[in-house]
Amino acid sequence: MIDSKTKLYCIFGKPVTHSKSPLIHNACFQKHHMNSVYLAFEIDEISDGVKAMRTLNIKGASVTIPFKESIMKYLDEIDEEALSIGAVNTVVNRNGKLIGYNTDYKAAVSPLRPFCIMNKKVCIIGAGGAAQAVAYGIHKEKGKLVIINRNKERGKKLASKYNAEFISMDKMNQTEINKDAINKTGIINADIIINTTSIGMSPDIETCAFPSTLLDSRMIVMDIVYTPLKTKLLSIAQSKGCTTIDGLSMFLHQGAAQFKLWTDILPDIKLMRQTIIKENN
């Protein structure tokens, strides 16, 4: 029961109505009999969210699109790994001091480790906060990065950080791309494709983050979008015989790491997964 002693946690984003974070975190609070509640706040400016944390004594926050980078300048302290990544997805309110962390990168590489990332060509679609974390993780695992992005300036900036190749989304989306052009980009030789953008996320479920003509059966295709679980990209990739990884694994692992930062309790990921599956049925 919510009362005057209830601790408040939340997620800041735009859009955020699709988020399953309230579902999994509230399930974990209930499991551990904690007088806490987790809510979703859709805001226009992250500065307002940070101000709310201070004013309302919000104990912890998840940060999602499009605020993972912009929130950093409003925090009191940032963890070294989050600083290296250049993005924050978790905030802990420690006695009024707001500290930023990033739980995305470990959660992103975890489902890829069984396939061996070292020396594999890994194409990351996007250059925002999630891409920053995924690129950091792939780089630590010694994968060969290629960055694909609409905004050339942002894409090139991320690529240069890891001495990676950059390819503009415009070039990828050319409908009459010929075989020579494909070979010149090197994309056809990619081992792993990872979509870190919101392309394909509900309600725009018919959009695909990567040209279907460039997918082949030997590729591993991962999408961090988890609403829907099988995005257009994953559906097409599966039809072409690719190995596919949906966004639920990364979502659950980064969420579990957040819960541990806030409460010092490592939650049951099986419970979190079952909670989402039950809600979807």
Side-chain angles (χ1 to χ4, degrees):
M1 179 180 290
I2 295 175
D3 57 27
S4 60
K5 295 181 180 179
T6 302
K7 293 179 180 178
L8 176 60
Y9 297 82
C10 70
I11 180 170
F12 295 125
K14 187 176 183 179
V16 80
T17 53
H18 69 283
S19 178
K20 303 297 184 185
S21 292
L23 197 65
I24 62 169
H25 288 301
N26 285 322
C28 291
F29 287 141
Q30 290 171 20
K31 169 74 174 178
H32 294 282
H33 307 288
M34 301 175 71
N35 187 4
S36 302
V37 65
Y38 183 107
L39 303 173
F41 295 135
E42 185 162 314
I43 56 177
D44 293 318
E45 300 291 339
I46 192 58
S47 57
D48 293 334
V50 173
K51 185 178 180 180
M53 284 197 76
R54 298 186 191 279
T55 304
L56 301 176
N57 195 27
I58 296 173
K59 297 300 183 181
S62 307
V63 184
T64 190
I65 294 171
F67 302 125
K68 292 185 180 185
E69 295 167 282
S70 58
I71 193 172
M72 296 177 75
K73 64 182 179 182
Y74 299 106
L75 301 177
D76 300 312
E77 186 179 315
I78 299 174
D79 172 73
E80 283 188 17
E81 284 189 329
L83 271 177
S84 297
I85 292 167
V88 162
N89 79 320
T90 309
V91 181
V92 178
N93 185 345
R94 199 161 288 149
N95 299 317
K97 187 177 185 179
L98 301 186
I99 306 170
Y101 297 87
N102 194 300
T103 67
D104 277 336
Y105 90 90
K106 289 180 181 177
V109 299
S110 179
L112 292 169
R113 281 203 180 102
F115 303 100
C116 184
I117 300 170
M118 183 182 290
N119 295 323
K120 296 285 180 68
K121 180 172 275 191
V122 183
C123 297
I124 294 177
I125 305 164
Q132 300 276 354
V134 175
Y136 178 82
I138 296 298
H139 179 73
K140 285 196 74 170
E141 297 288 327
K142 302 188 186 308
K144 298 177 181 177
L145 281 166
V146 177
I147 306 299
I148 303 165
N149 197 52
R150 277 186 291 229
N151 185 300
K152 293 180 182 179
E153 184 179 348
R154 284 174 62 85
K156 287 179 179 178
K157 184 178 179 181
L158 178 56
S160 66
K161 187 174 180 179
Y162 298 108
N163 195 28
E165 183 182 355
F166 169 73
I167 300 169
S168 71
M169 185 67 81
D170 290 342
K171 192 169 186 177
M172 297 298 300
N173 286 335
Q174 291 173 0
T175 54
E176 295 182 1
I177 190 168
N178 57 47
K179 190 173 181 179
D180 289 338
I182 293 172
N183 288 332
K184 283 177 184 177
T185 65
I187 291 299
I188 200 168
N189 296 318
D191 298 295
I192 302 170
I193 308 289
I194 307 173
N195 175 41
T196 69
T197 73
S198 59
I199 297 172
M201 186 172 75
S202 181
D204 299 319
I205 60 173
E206 291 304 315
T207 56
C208 186
F210 190 82
S212 60
T213 54
L214 302 187
L215 295 171
D216 68 58
S217 60
R218 62 186 181 78
M219 293 176 175
I220 298 165
V221 181
M222 177 177 174
D223 201 328
I224 72 165
V225 171
Y226 63 88
T227 52
L229 274 182
K230 186 180 283 189
T231 60
K232 188 77 169 180
L233 171 62
L234 294 184
S235 181
I236 293 172
Q238 193 173 58
S239 72
K240 287 178 173 281
C242 302
T243 299
T244 59
I245 301 171
D246 65 44
L248 193 55
S249 176
M250 177 177 170
F251 171 68
L252 293 175
H253 280 86
Q254 65 81 27
Q258 288 182 329
F259 196 85
K260 177 76 161 57
L261 282 169
W262 295 328
T263 67
D264 207 30
I265 296 171
L266 187 62
D268 183 353
I269 287 182
K270 287 183 180 178
L271 168 68
M272 298 164 81
R273 182 181 291 274
Q274 289 167 0
T275 301
I276 289 181
I277 291 172
K278 184 179 178 180
E279 197 261 353
N280 287 340
N281 289 338

